[in-house]
Amino acid sequence: MLLVLSFVFFMLLGLPLFGVIGLASIISMIGMPFPMEFIPQNLYTGMDQFPLIATIGFVMAGFLMEPAGITGEIIEVAKKAVGNIRGGLAMVTILACMIFAALSGSGPATTAAIGSIMIPGMIAAGYRKDDAAAVSATGGTLGILIPPSNPMIIYGVVANTSIAGLFMAGFIPGFVLTSLMCITAYCIAKKRGYQGTNEKFSIVGLCKAIWDGKWALATPAIILGGIYSGMLTATESAAIAVVWAAIAGLFIYKELTVKELVPILKDSAKSSAMILFIIAASTAFSWVFTFSGASQALVNAVISMHLNSALFCFVVAIILLIFGTFMEGTAIAVLLVPVLWPIAQSMGIDVIHFGMIVCISNVVGTMTPPVAVNIFSASTVSGLKMGDIAKAEIPFLIGYVAVFFCCVFSETFCTFLI
């Protein structure tokens, strides 16, 4: 009880998430028959995991790709492919988010990188500002489903399962969601009277754009091809993504300068440090949660419901959705997966299927205030209030809800390609 009360208290004070989790863990140890040294030991254990280097690598790659010119090339290819269709600029944003997601592995990074270019472009073309921001915010969530995905890496570490298998499982939900979002963008454009780019579609023009952007489009092939061929681990692939983004920016597109590397490295270090702080604090919190008896109480409560595997998955998904409205997905994975996965395993639920449930719940959480990191990124770029963007993104949530239920109730939908 002390653990929960202190957690809520520090969160209401507005402390950073890692501070909320860390302080709640320390206070909860008062009166427990364990030395306080267990806290720093768990902090170190939480960060001392080799696969987490992949997360740091993809964060750094994401920060490099926009100034390197890779983002612009991706957008140009998407424009040539669907820009002429009614609502084409919104579809360009969605497709560009899908491709960029295969490079950065991060939802907020995808929203910021694509949104900073496409939101002003859509507004100039006559789109309402809230619609433009909503498309970027919801499109950015594809960074969680389209591999490589940082939340999938975290889950793979926590659940001790194949990260490559999780990546493969993300393809079908990711592509289905992309298609549903494009259909929604078309319907909104038809209702609002938004037009395309008025540029006639041309196979020659598309092929030329693909050829001009071949180095940018080669990036996901290098990253994912190396993983699925067995030549590279996710960590090695992330390192190569960083090197490739730097080479492309400095020597191929020549839009990146050596002077820009220092602030880019600083920004990526800050973002990576925040993720690692959350993971470290969450590991300590999970340990206290377990040894305080709260973990076993939760397990007993779930078992007493006598749920079948499908209903259990649904209950877990709802729990994760609730937590996702006020916590970052990384913390949720580290806090709740160690508690919930053993129950799921005892029910015969596939570890990859359970991981996709965690990820799709995380996707919806990034779009749901008050935390809503993707909405925050879109708000920063567009200058709109988060509430305005949240209201405008409601039509896109229909597709997310459909994919959400498919992931929860259909193991085949998630594991078909594995």
Side-chain angles (χ1 to χ4, degrees):
M1 182 59 71
L2 181 60
L3 184 67
V4 176
L5 291 176
S6 56
F7 181 91
V8 173
F9 174 73
F10 289 124
M11 179 164 283
L12 292 175
L13 286 181
L15 295 180
L17 187 56
F18 70 87
V20 172
I21 298 171
L23 287 173
S25 303
I26 293 172
I27 290 176
S28 299
M29 283 197 67
I30 298 174
M32 292 179 67
F34 300 102
M36 293 299 290
E37 287 82 356
F38 275 38
I39 293 293
Q41 288 176 1
N42 277 275
L43 293 176
Y44 178 80
T45 302
M47 291 188 292
D48 186 26
Q49 301 185 68
F50 183 74
L52 291 179
I53 300 175
T55 300
I56 299 171
F58 286 123
V59 168
M60 188 180 296
F63 275 96
L64 279 168
M65 285 170 190
E66 184 183 352
I70 292 176
T71 305
E73 293 293 338
I74 291 171
I75 290 174
E76 190 60 33
V77 172
K79 278 185 179 179
K80 295 295 182 182
V82 298
N84 64 309
I85 304 172
R86 180 184 285 274
L89 285 179
M91 296 183 193
V92 167
T93 303
I94 294 164
L95 292 180
C97 284
M98 182 189 75
I99 299 172
F100 191 87
L103 311 178
S104 70
S106 168
T110 302
T111 300
I114 303 300
S116 61
I117 298 173
M118 290 306 301
I119 289 177
M122 283 189 282
I123 293 172
Y127 280 71
R128 284 175 21 177
K129 186 181 285 189
D130 58 344
D131 284 338
V135 169
S136 296
T138 52
T141 59
L142 295 170
I144 297 174
L145 285 179
I146 301 288
S149 162
N150 288 337
M152 288 182 187
I153 294 171
I154 303 300
Y155 174 83
V157 171
V158 174
N160 193 28
T161 190
S162 168
I163 293 174
L166 289 165
F167 284 178
M168 186 69 78
F171 275 113
I172 290 181
F175 287 139
V176 170
L177 188 51
T178 301
S179 301
L180 292 174
M181 288 184 66
C182 286
I183 293 171
T184 304
Y186 176 81
C187 294
I188 292 175
K190 192 172 182 179
K191 180 181 179 181
R192 307 259 202 241
Y194 301 147
Q195 300 299 319
T197 57
N198 295 321
E199 182 180 338
K200 189 176 180 181
F201 175 77
S202 168
I203 291 291
V204 175
L206 177 59
C207 291
K208 184 179 184 301
I210 292 174
W211 177 255
D212 292 341
K214 58 184 177 295
W215 301 114
L217 297 176
T219 312
I222 292 171
I223 294 173
L224 299 178
I227 293 173
Y228 294 130
S229 67
M231 295 175 62
L232 302 172
T233 64
T235 303
E236 293 164 344
S237 184
I240 288 177
V242 172
V243 174
W244 176 254
I247 291 174
L250 290 170
F251 304 111
I252 299 176
Y253 297 117
K254 297 181 180 179
E255 295 188 19
L256 183 66
T257 64
V258 175
K259 288 183 179 179
E260 290 178 298
L261 289 177
V262 174
I264 288 172
L265 291 174
K266 285 182 178 179
D267 289 340
S268 60
K270 289 177 183 178
S271 183
S272 299
M274 184 61 67
I275 293 173
L276 291 177
F277 280 148
I278 291 173
I279 291 172
S282 298
T283 303
F285 187 94
S286 296
W287 182 86
V288 175
F289 191 79
T290 300
F291 282 93
S292 66
S295 175
Q296 189 59 46
L298 178 61
V299 171
N300 293 337
V302 173
I303 292 175
S304 67
M305 295 180 186
H306 303 291
L307 303 173
N308 58 32
S309 59
L311 282 176
F312 172 77
C313 288
F314 181 72
V315 170
V316 167
I318 297 302
I319 292 172
L320 294 172
L321 284 177
I322 294 171
F323 272 80
T325 61
F326 60 88
M327 287 182 66
E328 199 268 343
T330 299
I332 293 173
V334 181
L335 284 175
L336 297 183
V337 170
V339 177
L340 296 173
W341 166 237
I343 308 174
Q345 189 176 28
S346 68
M347 293 183 172
I349 298 171
D350 182 80
V351 63
I352 301 295
H353 180 209
F354 192 74
M356 292 309 300
I357 293 172
V358 173
C359 287
I360 191 65
S361 301
N362 189 2
V363 165
V364 179
T366 61
M367 302 188 298
T368 310
V371 175
V373 288
N374 274 29
I375 296 181
F376 180 79
S377 294
S379 175
T380 302
V381 174
S382 66
L384 284 174
K385 295 180 180 178
M386 291 181 66
D388 295 331
I389 301 174
K391 190 182 299 182
E393 71 179 15
I394 290 175
F396 292 98
L397 285 174
I398 297 172
Y400 279 92
V401 170
V403 174
F404 170 77
F405 280 112
C406 286
C407 285
V408 170
F409 292 114
S410 175
E411 179 180 325
T412 304
F413 182 72
C414 300
T415 60
F416 178 76
L417 294 178
I418 302 175

